[in-house]
Amino acid sequence: MNAGFIGISKYIPSKSMSNADLEKILDTSDEWIRTRTGIENRFIAETEETSDMAVKAAEKALENANIQADQIGMIIVATVTQDQNFPSVACQVQERLGISGCAALDISAACSGFIYATTIAKQFIESNSYDYVLVVGVEKLSKVVDWDDRNTAVLFGDGASAAVIGKVSEGRGILAFELGADGTGGKHLLLNQESRINMNGREVFKFAVRQMGESAISVLEKAGLSKDDVDYLVPHQANIRIMESARERLGLPEEKMSKTIHKYGNTSAASIGISIVDDLEEGKIKDDDLVVLVGFGGGLTWGAIALRWGK
């Protein structure tokens, strides 16, 4: 039996920051941000740490999956913004959920992190190593954004998503995956000496437009499917033009692509999970839909999953 999503949830901090708010501190405008990125708003964690958001998302995911915390065999947290002085968010999640002794690790794949973590979880579930793996994608990007750089400060927001991965019924779950990286491109998206995000937007854009489409097609081929089989696309919410290029590559109408970037901005590893939660709540993803998840991120990294939705 395949591994798949047993439960999923999100956590969004309370402080909203609109484009109008950014106009007050940056030489930018709502129109400039919207037309170039599709972003209208984002949320900022003021007093909460990365681990706080991770725990809140994880608690709701366990509730959504209808399982107890002590049934989790492994915790995988995808993040590039660990708490200060704490090397492992996953270990903090384990301690605060009251789980004794389960495996816990962080992975660093930036915006591809949720796909990387889910794919790792799949291996442990399908090898019968664990019954359930808790995957968390969480970022507090507000603490590494250069608030004087109008080209990057407008892009990012904070948030968390969490999913319980376990065995699902025959024919459902993760059908295929693709992971990849190009370390030679890492210089285009990194933290500078001041630990602030530095991005070569032109190069990242070119990479993302090419890779998102290629990865989506490739993962379908690995699953023995074609783009005609796709019911819904959930791309990493980085830039509306990049997302549209992936949608067009699959030949999907607009209503078959997840779009939450206008609400939350780019939440990196949390992005895809947050989008899935919103889409489920709005009835856009239904049982037995063929869903493609695809993302790219710093490293440079990329990943895609083809899955048949449902428990």
Side-chain angles (χ1 to χ4, degrees):
M1 296 174 71
N2 291 331
F5 288 82
I6 303 298
I8 188 166
S9 192
K10 70 177 183 184
Y11 176 76
I12 305 297
S14 60
K15 182 181 178 181
S16 173
M17 181 177 284
S18 68
N19 292 347
D21 293 326
L22 289 175
E23 288 178 339
K24 299 172 185 176
I25 60 173
L26 289 169
D27 180 19
T28 190
S29 70
D30 172 61
E31 182 185 13
W32 189 91
I33 299 168
R34 278 189 296 103
T35 56
R36 286 163 176 78
T37 69
I39 299 169
E40 299 173 14
N41 194 70
R42 72 285 295 146
F43 290 84
I44 305 298
E46 294 183 285
T47 59
E48 295 165 302
E49 280 293 344
T50 299
S51 60
D52 296 322
M53 295 188 287
V55 168
K56 288 171 182 175
E59 289 172 338
K60 291 195 286 184
L62 291 171
E63 182 180 343
N64 184 250
N66 195 29
I67 69 166
Q68 301 301 309
D70 60 8
Q71 293 178 262
I72 296 294
M74 172 180 266
I75 301 169
I76 308 172
V77 174
T79 189
V80 293
T81 55
Q82 280 89 350
D83 295 8
Q84 188 175 4
N85 300 326
F86 282 91
S88 174
V89 176
C91 286
Q92 294 174 82
V93 171
Q94 183 216 53
E95 187 266 335
R96 289 168 63 182
L97 290 179
I99 305 172
S100 176
C102 81
L105 73 153
D106 290 1
I107 64 165
S108 178
C111 306
S112 307
F114 188 83
I115 289 176
Y116 264 72
T118 300
T119 301
I120 294 168
K122 167 185 165 69
Q123 316 308 314
F124 284 98
I125 296 299
E126 294 182 2
S127 66
N128 295 314
S129 300
Y130 303 114
D131 291 329
Y132 301 104
V133 176
L134 176 64
V135 167
V136 181
V138 57
E139 303 289 7
K140 186 176 178 178
L141 293 165
S142 58
K143 68 181 180 182
V144 294
V145 164
D146 180 351
W147 290 104
D148 294 321
D149 179 7
R150 70 170 188 169
N151 292 312
T152 57
V154 302
L155 301 176
F156 299 102
D158 301 335
S161 57
V164 175
I165 308 300
K167 287 184 180 178
V168 295
S169 59
E170 197 67 36
R172 290 176 171 174
I174 299 168
L175 307 179
F177 68 88
E178 171 169 290
L179 301 176
D182 177 10
T184 65
K187 60 189 176 185
H188 298 311
L189 180 54
L190 44 72
L191 295 184
N192 60 25
Q193 291 181 331
E194 289 75 40
S195 295
R196 294 291 180 263
I197 294 174
N198 186 274
M199 181 173 69
N200 182 331
R202 185 181 299 274
E203 290 300 319
V204 172
F205 183 87
K206 288 193 298 184
F207 161 78
V209 167
R210 180 187 74 252
Q211 196 61 55
M212 290 267 276
E214 288 181 0
S215 296
I217 295 296
S218 177
V219 80
L220 287 169
E221 291 175 350
K222 289 180 178 180
L225 300 166
S226 75
K227 59 185 182 181
D228 295 332
D229 296 309
V230 178
D231 294 301
Y232 203 68
L233 171 68
V234 185
H236 165 50
Q237 307 285 308
N239 178 296
I240 191 63
R241 292 182 292 171
I242 295 170
M243 294 157 56
E244 289 289 355
S245 72
R247 179 182 68 78
E248 291 168 3
R249 183 73 179 270
L250 291 176
L252 293 173
E254 288 186 22
E255 63 270 18
K256 288 194 173 185
M257 182 185 78
S258 179
K259 189 178 77 168
T260 61
I261 188 171
H262 59 294
K263 295 189 283 187
Y264 308 116
N266 180 349
T267 55
S268 187
S271 156
I272 289 175
I274 289 172
S275 294
I276 292 173
V277 172
D278 280 17
D279 294 331
L280 287 169
E281 290 175 348
E282 296 171 16
K284 295 179 180 178
I285 297 176
K286 305 174 186 68
D287 277 1
D288 295 316
D289 277 355
L290 193 285
V291 181
V292 173
L293 316 179
V294 62
F296 71 95
L300 296 167
T301 61
W302 64 84
I305 287 173
L307 65 101
R308 185 73 63 185
W309 190 263
K311 298 181 183 182

